[in-house]
Amino acid sequence: MKKLPHYPRMSIVVLNWNGLDDTKICLEHLRKLDYPNYEIIVVDNGSRAEQKKYLSKVKDIVYVDNPTNRGFTGGHIDGFAKASGEFVVLLNNDAVMQKDYLKLALKSFDDPKVAAVGGRSYFWNDDQPILDTSNSFYAYQEINVRTGEAFMLSTDYGVPQVVNNVSGSAVVIRRSIIDEVGYLYDRFFAYFEETDLFARIKRAGYTVLYDPQLHIWHRNGASSGASSGSHFFYYQIFRNRFIFAMRNFETKSLVRFWYIYCRIGFSSLLRWWLRPGSANKVMNRAYAKAAIYNVVHLPLTYASRLRLRMHLGKSRYNHIIYQEQTGLSVVYDCSEHTATQIKALQEHLATDTNPLHEYILVTREEMPIEFSSSQPNLRHVIDRGYFNASPYNLGCLAARFDWMALCDTKYPAKPDVLRQALASTMNSAAGIVAFGDETQCSPTVLIHKQFFTFVGGVEQKNALVDSSLALMRYAKRSKRLSWFRGNPDDHKPIELRISKQQSRAIDIRLKIDGSIARDGQLSLFGRIKAKYYRIYQFTSLIRWLFLRNVSLYLKAARIKNLVLFTVTLRRHKLALELKHIRNEVILNTTPGDLGRQKKITERRIKELLKDPSDITVFIICRDRVNDLRLLVRWLEQNGLHKITFIDNDSVYPPLVDYLHKTPYQVIKLYRNVGHTSPWGLGLVRALVPEDFYIVSDPDVIPTKDCPKDVLKHFLDVHKQYFMYLKVGFGLRIDDLPDHYRLKQSVIEWESQFWKQELAPGVYEAGVDTTFALYKPFTYTYKLHPSLRTGAPYVARHMPWYMDPEKISEEERHYRFRADHNVSSWNADELEDRYEKELNKKRKD
């Protein structure tokens, strides 16, 4: 390809459709561009006569007059016909470029493989002024390889990267590549047109680049003339998604796409006919009409697929975009390394600047390591030595991406081989990718976070070689093992051998883990429980009747009580009896050897009663620091020093600084997983698999009158009530301030947890993630069976005591970023789900 001239000509194409005010602002800023060689082409797409008249008289533009609205695709096709530049710039008329946009974009085209370049699109509205880089923005798009949906991301890594798709509101495209692969496909009209173009570009072997230094300000939605909830929007999106997938998806992926698309289309058609008054009637009607259109025009769409195949060859589009958007966290255990060795590894890894490659180095607490800002994809995880677990477990739990590689520091992995292996998993259900074959392989393995959670991570006693063999054995037995022929690390291959004893242990573990994986919300009973609690109680009763571990005498006694309490209308006694039955079901259907679990639990209770300081405490953090300090102080005063902070993507500066300086263990998740993260991400199973542990939110603080022996009291309750999974603090509601607007609602709601007293100061009541002590082998999140303690062993939920007239900066920040599906009682208005439940209780 010939070398670019210094300032090649740029043809900027702008569409106008009854948006003259925006077009005027756009043209005004285009005239101020710091670039010497460009032309402006304005296509009027059937606007009103007065707008056409104005644009036809503008001197410094090339004017194209379309008598009708030909959509985004038709308008740009007509503008492209008038373009004379070596580069074509697609620009929305409601968007404004930074002055040096074209100069910065031109630098990226020094690489002949780069076909298109786009950047950040900042929002521009009444609240976010034009030309302000502090505005929120959207970055680039990712394509779902199964459904074909395009998702616009609102964050980036701050460095240029190859992406699936950049926004069509402002993108620079090389003219020679358009001549090679074709321009926009006219049938799209609006939406997915640039996605289809970029797909053809990728299929031809070129790349699309996202550069965060390129800025536009976009008055989003003004150019389309349709809101994101309109019939036009839904219809175009669902119709064009099908056309796009039919033209570009690989055959295997297309079959899967067909199944998903037809299911959505058919269900939308039924809802449109059978439930015309539903809340989603506009979307259902649009989806149904789009599906019908695609069925009728299937021969035309399929013909375009065949033409593209003849022109560009067999599609590998799904594999390409899967590689481009799938991140990889590479974990190294540096816990036995010197500072010099770690520094050498850092220097080696710093040569890889791919933002989708993350390198995690797990070191000892005392190791002085510095990571410079010029190495954003290098991360440091400190192992404080709290857990009887492999350092690899800490690194994997803190990984930002779902796919992880366990590597030996002596033989650093080759990123290109890892990514090739990763791409091979796209159409498989692999949980682990091993390198080699059935006889010998590399100790490096790729493991998916879901499978890592399933097997409970890596055992402390095993080296990487033994751990890799065990993980592969797990994967092979569960049919989740995939082989990739290639060596990622220049390591001498190891023989794939495992002893009969290890094999037997793995088989037992798989049986247990498989049962746990199907537990809770994944099971039929879990789904019934979540939606219909009365039906769940009935199914629990049926299951209980057939339990072998429950004696006939106990069954007869409980059935007698059920009948008696039903006849005498003693509702609370009946509810308590049903809860006992439910607890016995949970206890007797818990995976594993129940006798062994009971022995371990009893032994640990005896040990911890002598020294409760050995209990691990998990605190789930999210943009709150003041209450967190109080809770940590209380834990320290009570001798608890094995504190682990689980940080759900906090950005509040005081908390970030606190976690950076703390002497305790920190696991940064880099995303908001929510309050169930200790179980959902497998932290409990990987770090404290057979031990007691505490989980707490940061805003639950024991009262000043709470005795010092509270942990021993919790352990005594566990000893007395073995069938319960956790024991937590009761929350005070007798001292709520009058200025708290939800005071009466809280009292009304929380009163239910103080009704069923099993013994003095011990209440049968659900416990979420308020401060609670969990028994060993509690690997999944459950509200029940659990107990709460009464006075003096009580705590305060601090948001209930906040003065709404004196909201702190921390609270404002927290509420702004809070997930309202998770947060409870923190705002000034009662959430709908609590309002509905309270109304039900009032009626009862």
Side-chain angles (χ1 to χ4, degrees):
M1 188 174 291
K2 65 178 182 179
K3 189 176 180 180
L4 291 173
H6 188 54
Y7 286 116
R9 189 166 181 77
M10 299 271 190
S11 298
I12 306 173
V13 182
V14 179
L15 302 188
N16 178 70
W17 180 62
N18 294 320
L20 185 58
D21 291 339
D22 289 329
T23 303
K24 287 179 180 179
I25 298 173
C26 178
L27 293 176
E28 177 186 345
H29 284 81
L30 285 179
R31 295 183 182 107
K32 299 176 183 178
L33 288 177
D34 182 17
Y35 192 84
N37 188 13
Y38 66 95
E39 64 177 348
I40 303 172
I41 302 170
V42 178
V43 181
D44 186 85
N45 241 357
S47 300
R48 293 185 292 270
E50 63 272 15
Q51 298 199 17
K52 288 179 176 291
K53 183 178 179 181
Y54 174 86
L55 291 173
S56 64
K57 293 180 179 181
V58 178
K59 301 293 186 183
D60 58 348
I61 66 170
V62 177
Y63 176 61
V64 179
D65 184 5
N66 281 343
T68 59
N69 182 7
R70 289 186 16 85
F72 187 91
T73 52
H76 272 288
I77 290 171
D78 296 336
F80 177 75
K82 299 290 184 179
S84 60
E86 295 182 47
F87 292 88
V88 178
V89 183
L90 281 68
L91 180 65
N92 278 22
N93 71 318
D94 57 343
V96 169
M97 281 183 173
Q98 70 187 81
K99 292 178 65 174
D100 57 348
Y101 191 99
L102 298 182
K103 276 188 176 180
L104 292 174
L106 187 63
K107 295 178 182 179
S108 301
F109 289 102
D110 289 342
D111 182 354
K113 285 294 183 182
V114 174
V117 177
R120 287 181 179 176
S121 295
Y122 288 96
F123 288 101
W124 160 30
N125 49 43
D126 294 338
D127 298 324
Q128 304 184 85
I130 194 171
L131 303 181
D132 189 344
T133 55
S134 65
N135 296 354
S136 54
F137 65 89
Y138 55 91
Y140 53 91
Q141 285 183 326
E142 290 187 346
I143 308 298
N144 188 310
V145 294
R146 290 172 171 79
T147 66
E149 294 173 283
F151 301 95
M152 186 65 74
L153 303 185
S154 58
T155 58
D156 58 39
Y157 295 101
V159 295
Q161 65 183 101
V162 174
V163 297
N164 297 172
N165 198 6
V166 292
S167 171
S169 56
V171 57
V172 184
I173 308 174
R174 201 189 296 263
R175 174 74 177 256
S176 60
I177 297 194
I178 293 177
D179 294 337
E180 181 179 342
V181 304
Y183 199 41
L184 302 178
Y185 186 47
D186 201 6
R187 283 183 62 203
F188 283 112
F189 191 83
Y191 305 114
F192 276 95
E193 63 287 314
E194 76 274 17
T195 309
D196 177 77
L197 173 59
F198 296 146
R200 283 179 274 133
I201 286 173
K202 293 177 185 301
R203 292 174 63 179
Y206 301 103
T207 59
V208 176
L209 190 71
Y210 170 79
D211 187 348
Q213 296 183 63
L214 302 179
H215 303 157
I216 69 162
W217 285 262
H218 188 200
R219 202 197 301 270
N220 201 30
S223 59
S224 70
S227 67
S228 61
S230 68
H231 179 276
F232 173 83
F233 172 81
Y234 287 133
Y235 175 80
Q236 289 291 131
I237 286 288
F238 198 62
R239 187 195 74 143
N240 292 352
R241 192 202 310 177
F242 180 88
I243 298 173
F244 159 72
M246 277 294 296
R247 283 167 54 84
N248 296 290
F249 271 23
E250 302 166 25
T251 303
K252 285 185 179 179
S253 300
L254 189 61
V255 171
R256 185 169 48 202
F257 168 82
W258 257 81
Y259 170 75
I260 296 171
Y261 188 90
C262 291
R263 187 178 62 185
I264 296 173
F266 183 70
S267 62
S268 298
L269 183 64
L270 289 180
R271 292 191 187 102
W272 179 32
W273 283 345
L274 302 178
R275 300 174 60 186
S278 66
N280 295 323
K281 62 180 178 181
V282 174
M283 184 181 70
N284 291 333
R285 183 181 62 182
Y287 277 16
K289 288 186 175 181
I292 293 171
Y293 171 91
N294 283 319
V295 171
V296 173
H297 294 85
L298 181 60
L300 177 62
T301 308
Y302 187 69
S304 71
R305 174 182 176 86
L306 294 180
R307 286 194 296 271
L308 278 182
R309 179 164 181 169
M310 292 176 62
H311 181 53
L312 299 173
K314 188 176 180 180
S315 175
R316 283 187 50 81
Y317 176 68
N318 298 80
H319 275 82
I320 293 170
I321 62 173
Y322 184 77
Q323 279 187 283
E324 288 177 351
Q325 69 189 27
T326 304
L328 178 64
S329 298
V330 185
V331 183
Y332 289 95
D333 175 12
C334 302
S335 58
E336 301 299 327
H337 288 56
T338 65
T340 303
Q341 290 174 318
I342 296 174
K343 187 175 181 181
L345 180 61
Q346 278 183 263
E347 292 174 354
H348 173 79
L349 298 177
T351 58
D352 183 10
T353 58
N354 188 336
L356 291 180
H357 289 169
E358 173 191 45
Y359 295 99
I360 301 175
L361 277 57
V362 185
T363 69
R364 295 191 306 273
E365 181 178 356
E366 65 273 11
M367 187 62 61
I369 304 297
E370 292 185 4
F371 281 59
S372 67
S373 58
S374 62
Q375 300 174 322
N377 59 348
L378 289 185
R379 286 180 51 203
H380 181 209
V381 174
I382 301 175
D383 183 1
R384 304 286 184 185
Y386 293 173
F387 313 107
N388 184 26
S390 167
Y392 283 109
N393 286 5
L394 276 177
C396 290
L397 291 170
R400 181 182 287 116
F401 302 120
D402 287 335
W403 275 101
M404 305 166 293
L406 308 186
C407 298
D408 191 329
T409 55
K410 296 180 181 178
Y411 305 94
K414 301 173 185 174
D416 56 337
V417 178
L418 293 179
R419 293 209 69 80
Q420 291 172 22
L422 195 57
S424 69
T425 67
M426 191 193 72
N427 287 316
S428 69
I432 287 182
V433 180
F435 297 88
D437 54 37
E438 296 283 352
T439 58
Q440 57 182 14
C441 58
S442 164
T444 295
V445 293
L446 290 177
I447 182 169
H448 194 275
K449 188 166 280 189
Q450 185 183 39
F451 191 83
F452 173 85
T453 303
F454 173 76
V455 299
V458 177
E459 292 186 18
Q460 170 71 34
K461 60 185 178 182
N462 287 346
L464 178 60
V465 171
D466 296 328
S467 299
S468 297
L469 291 175
L471 290 171
M472 282 184 264
R473 195 72 172 183
Y474 278 126
K476 187 176 181 180
R477 290 294 176 89
S478 60
K479 299 181 180 179
R480 300 285 301 278
L481 178 64
S482 174
W483 288 102
F484 184 82
R485 299 188 182 278
N487 190 354
D489 49 24
D490 292 327
H491 194 285
K492 182 180 178 181
I494 58 175
E495 292 187 17
L496 190 59
R497 285 185 177 180
I498 192 165
S499 67
K500 291 183 178 180
Q501 184 179 0
Q502 287 176 313
S503 179
R504 194 179 303 113
I506 288 172
D507 291 342
I508 295 172
R509 179 73 174 276
L510 270 176
K511 184 177 180 181
I512 295 172
D513 289 339
S515 302
I516 292 175
R518 294 188 297 271
D519 195 24
Q521 295 301 315
L522 298 180
S523 68
L524 172 63
F525 294 103
R527 291 194 295 271
I528 291 175
K529 175 186 175 182
K531 202 164 185 179
Y532 305 105
Y533 187 70
R534 299 305 179 199
I535 297 178
Y536 168 72
Q537 286 183 313
F538 177 74
T539 56
S540 293
L541 178 60
I542 299 300
R543 295 173 73 185
W544 175 80
L545 289 172
F546 292 93
L547 288 178
R548 295 181 180 179
N549 294 332
V550 178
S551 66
L552 291 176
Y553 176 79
L554 180 59
K555 287 180 181 178
R558 294 220 184 278
I559 291 173
K560 174 188 172 183
N561 288 341
L562 289 176
V563 174
L564 178 64
F565 298 149
T566 302
V567 172
T568 57
L569 301 179
R570 284 186 279 181
R571 294 177 55 198
H572 292 304
K573 291 284 188 180
L574 177 63
L576 184 60
E577 197 69 29
L578 287 171
K579 285 183 178 181
H580 285 313
I581 289 173
R582 178 205 59 203
N583 294 347
E584 288 168 7
V585 170
I586 293 174
L587 185 67
N588 286 279
T589 56
T590 299
D593 185 343
L594 191 60
R596 174 177 172 272
Q597 292 183 13
K598 191 169 184 179
K599 287 180 181 179
I600 291 175
T601 301
E602 291 174 347
R603 175 175 56 81
R604 282 301 288 161
I605 288 176
K606 289 181 181 179
E607 295 171 352
L608 292 173
L609 283 172
K610 298 177 182 177
D611 182 18
S613 65
D614 196 38
I615 298 175
T616 300
V617 182
F618 294 104
I619 304 177
I620 305 167
C621 304
R622 171 75 170 176
D623 292 327
R624 287 185 184 276
V625 68
N626 292 331
D627 293 335
L628 179 64
R629 293 178 192 273
L630 296 175
L631 178 58
V632 171
R633 191 177 306 144
W634 183 90
L635 293 170
E636 292 172 340
Q637 291 171 353
N638 284 269
L640 292 169
H641 296 281
K642 295 175 68 173
I643 302 171
T644 299
F645 301 110
I646 303 172
D647 182 31
N648 272 318
D649 191 31
S650 297
V651 298
Y652 184 55
L655 176 59
V656 173
D657 184 63
Y658 178 84
L659 295 178
H660 179 69
K661 296 177 180 178
T662 183
Y664 299 115
Q665 185 72 58
V666 178
I667 300 177
K668 293 183 68 65
L669 303 182
Y670 287 91
R671 51 181 171 172
N672 185 12
V673 181
H675 63 298
T676 61
S677 53
W679 304 275
L681 293 182
L683 273 73
V684 170
R685 181 187 292 267
L687 301 179
V688 284
E690 298 183 358
D691 204 353
F692 281 90
Y693 61 93
I694 291 170
V695 175
S696 179
D697 290 328
D699 53 10
V700 177
I701 313 296
T703 63
K704 293 181 180 179
D705 299 328
C706 183
K708 296 287 186 180
D709 66 343
V710 58
L711 294 178
K712 291 185 177 181
H713 179 63
F714 281 3
L715 289 166
D716 284 333
V717 174
H718 266 295
K719 185 177 181 180
Q720 185 178 359
Y721 298 96
F722 177 76
M723 70 177 62
Y724 290 86
L725 299 178
K726 51 185 169 179
V727 178
F729 281 113
L731 297 178
R732 289 195 66 171
I733 55 175
D734 58 346
D735 63 345
L736 298 184
D738 292 332
H739 59 65
Y740 181 49
R741 296 176 183 174
L742 300 180
K743 176 179 178 179
Q744 293 305 318
S745 297
V746 167
I747 292 174
E748 191 174 353
W749 175 266
E750 291 288 323
S751 295
Q752 64 181 304
F753 304 127
W754 294 91
K755 291 180 178 179
Q756 298 181 11
E757 190 172 19
L758 301 183
V762 179
Y763 297 84
E764 161 88 39
V767 179
D768 50 14
T769 50
T770 53
F771 194 112
L773 176 66
Y774 293 74
K775 65 185 290 188
F777 306 98
T778 306
Y779 295 146
T780 57
Y781 172 72
K782 289 184 174 72
L783 285 172
H784 303 280
S786 55
L787 299 171
R788 295 196 188 196
T789 54
Y793 301 101
V794 291
R796 286 191 174 96
H797 184 224
M798 301 309 291
W800 296 346
Y801 299 85
M802 190 178 304
D803 189 343
E805 303 300 327
K806 299 177 182 179
I807 297 294
S808 65
E809 181 62 30
E810 175 186 301
E811 183 64 16
R812 289 193 189 94
H813 189 278
Y814 176 82
R815 292 188 183 186
F816 178 75
R817 298 191 74 233
D819 182 349
H820 297 289
N821 292 320
V822 175
S823 303
S824 305
W825 311 110
N826 291 318
D828 297 327
E829 295 181 0
L830 190 62
E831 292 181 24
D832 290 341
R833 60 194 179 104
Y834 286 106
E835 188 69 53
K836 290 178 181 178
E837 290 295 327
L838 283 175
N839 287 335
K840 285 182 181 178
K841 293 181 181 298
R842 289 163 186 158
K843 290 178 181 177
D844 293 341

